[in-house]
Amino acid sequence: MNQIKQKFPDKLIVGIRIMLGIIFIMTGLMKLFLSDYGAAWAIQLVESGIPFYSFTYYFVPIFEVILGVFLVFGYYSRIAALFIFPLMGVAVYVHLTVTHPGAFPSQPQDPYMPIAVMLMSFIILTKGGGK
């Protein structure tokens, strides 16, 4: 009975870690390769006043994909979760400052998703990536 109690939270943590990794891989790839999402990403950067537009436009999606791969495979999960916090902090800022209707094609204007991602990252940061 103790084995069941001990393994369930570990499986839940692994599920959260993999789901978080898939979210980051998908969002990074969508920003890079889908024109609608790339345009929305450009609007978000310009309207929120994020500096170094040319660098940020490509670096953040590539970094998201790298973080996602690390999370999916369970490599350095806590470090990856730690790097998610500044990204999602900026995402919350963008959600609160950008009012352009085309800036968020697949999520609400309110920062629900970035906050949920931060909560999942906190679980990975505190509990580890699971086995």
Side-chain angles (χ1 to χ4, degrees), residues 4-110:
I4 294 172
K5 287 182 181 178
Q6 290 174 349
K7 291 190 182 227
F8 177 72
D10 193 50
K11 287 182 181 179
L12 182 63
I13 291 169
V14 169
I16 290 171
R17 176 180 52 82
I18 290 172
M19 183 172 60
L20 193 60
I22 290 170
I23 288 170
F24 271 86
I25 290 169
M26 286 176 47
T27 57
L29 291 176
M30 287 189 308
K31 287 175 188 174
L32 288 171
F33 297 113
L34 297 179
S35 59
D36 291 345
Y37 288 92
W41 173 232
I43 292 169
Q44 291 172 8
L45 289 174
V46 170
E47 288 219 357
S48 63
I50 304 288
F52 310 112
Y53 172 83
S54 297
F55 174 75
T56 306
Y57 184 83
Y58 292 104
F59 176 76
V60 171
I62 292 168
F63 191 59
E64 287 176 347
V65 172
I66 291 168
L67 286 176
V69 168
F70 274 61
L71 287 167
V72 166
F73 290 111
Y75 297 126
Y76 302 105
S77 298
R78 285 187 165 145
I79 294 171
L82 189 62
F83 277 114
I84 288 173
F85 280 98
L87 283 175
M88 291 300 103
V90 173
V92 168
Y93 168 76
V94 168
H95 277 263
L96 295 174
T97 57
V98 175
T99 57
H100 191 282
F104 303 101
S106 65
Q107 54 183 313
Q109 177 74 29
D110 295 326

